[in-house]
Amino acid sequence: LLSCRLYCEEAKDPKRRSCQTVLAEALDIIVRSFAPILPHLAEEVFQYIPYKKDSEGVFRTGWINASSAWKKPGTEEAIEGACAIRDSFLGSISGKNALEYEVTIVIEPGLLFELMEALQAEETSSVSQLNEIMMASQTTLLSELPKETPADANIIKGTFLINLEGGDICEQSSYKVIARPVAKAKCPRCRRYTSESSSTPCPRCLKVLAGKGST
């Protein structure tokens, strides 16, 4: 997930910049956490952080001060739900490359479906947050089973318990994951099977490369 965002998106793409922001925040919290027991290591790491504007040192800039903006209601539950669905998918293809598959997630209308929609607004995507978590080449999110299911598809069933507002909102949701081998070729740039030809980058990568050429 990180490597695709960092190395495949445009330098100033919001998805790439948001990934860098999370990594920077995680590093800051980790360094401050172990500073009391590993002071010299913490100080050395802190001094080499390239984006720090101050040079007072880790012990003079205060303790951990994470912004409340990181605690967005529903985000944790959405990620946990997506990871549970992903684990069901990965368990069904044990030992195989997840990128060689496209998945269809079927969830009846309800809270779990709404949480997954927050991770993927489009019905089908190869670049959404949901698809990145699924680790597949393409993910489709549906509220009902498609009329036709390919013969080579593998259907996995599962359930996920949602807890919101400290347990005040609870909902047991069922889901189905339809996994099938992807029909497209591997993109030589991002390595996802989303290209029409193995010698041509996929549409997303072509767009990024075109942007680099024009800057």
Side-chain angles (χ1 to χ4, degrees), residues 6-27:
L6 289 174
Y7 302 117
C8 296
E9 301 292 353
E10 292 187 69
K12 295 183 179 180
D13 188 282
K15 292 193 290 291
R16 183 176 184 274
R17 296 293 288 150
S18 65
C19 181
Q20 291 177 312
T21 299
V22 170
L23 291 174
E25 185 75 8
L27 177 61

Side-chain angles (χ1 to χ4, degrees), residues 74-88 107 111-113 115-116 157-164 170-176:
T75 300
E76 182 179 353
E77 290 75 15
I79 299 299
E80 287 180 349
C83 288
I85 296 172
R86 177 200 61 195
D87 290 345
S88 296
I107 308 171
L111 191 52
L112 181 59
F113 185 83
L115 291 174
M116 294 305 102
K157 298 180 181 181
T159 59
F160 181 73
L161 177 62
I162 301 170
N163 280 296
L164 287 170
C170 291
E171 184 176 297
Q172 180 89 10
S173 299
S174 59
Y175 61 83
K176 296 181 180 69

Side-chain angles (χ1 to χ4, degrees), residues 68-155:
S68 59
W70 292 100
K71 189 61 177 178
K72 185 178 180 181
T75 300
E76 182 179 353
E77 290 75 15
I79 299 299
E80 287 180 349
C83 288
I85 296 172
R86 177 200 61 195
D87 290 345
S88 296
F89 160 56
L90 294 179
S92 71
I93 60 164
S94 181
K96 298 179 180 178
N97 183 3
L99 286 174
E100 295 178 357
Y101 289 81
E102 56 179 304
V103 299
T104 298
I105 301 171
V106 183
I107 308 171
E108 292 184 359
L111 191 52
L112 181 59
F113 185 83
E114 292 175 6
L115 291 174
M116 294 305 102
E117 274 192 318
L119 300 176
Q120 179 169 301
E122 311 88 347
E123 183 176 285
T124 300
S125 177
S126 62
V127 297
S128 68
Q129 296 179 73
L130 179 58
N131 187 66
E132 289 179 340
I133 293 171
M134 293 301 294
M135 300 169 62
S137 277
Q138 180 174 281
T139 296
T140 298
L141 179 62
L142 300 175
S143 59
E144 58 183 16
L145 280 169
K147 294 181 179 180
E148 296 183 3
T149 303
D152 59 348
N154 185 19
I155 302 179

Side-chain angles (χ1 to χ4, degrees), residues 23-36:
L23 291 174
E25 185 75 8
L27 177 61
D28 185 83
I29 291 175
I30 291 172
V31 172
R32 294 181 192 277
S33 296
F34 68 65

Side-chain angles (χ1 to χ4, degrees), residues 53-67:
K53 296 182 179 180
D54 56 70
S55 58
E56 294 183 354
V58 67
F59 293 101
R60 293 180 179 273
T61 54
W63 184 236
I64 297 170
N65 186 27
S67 171

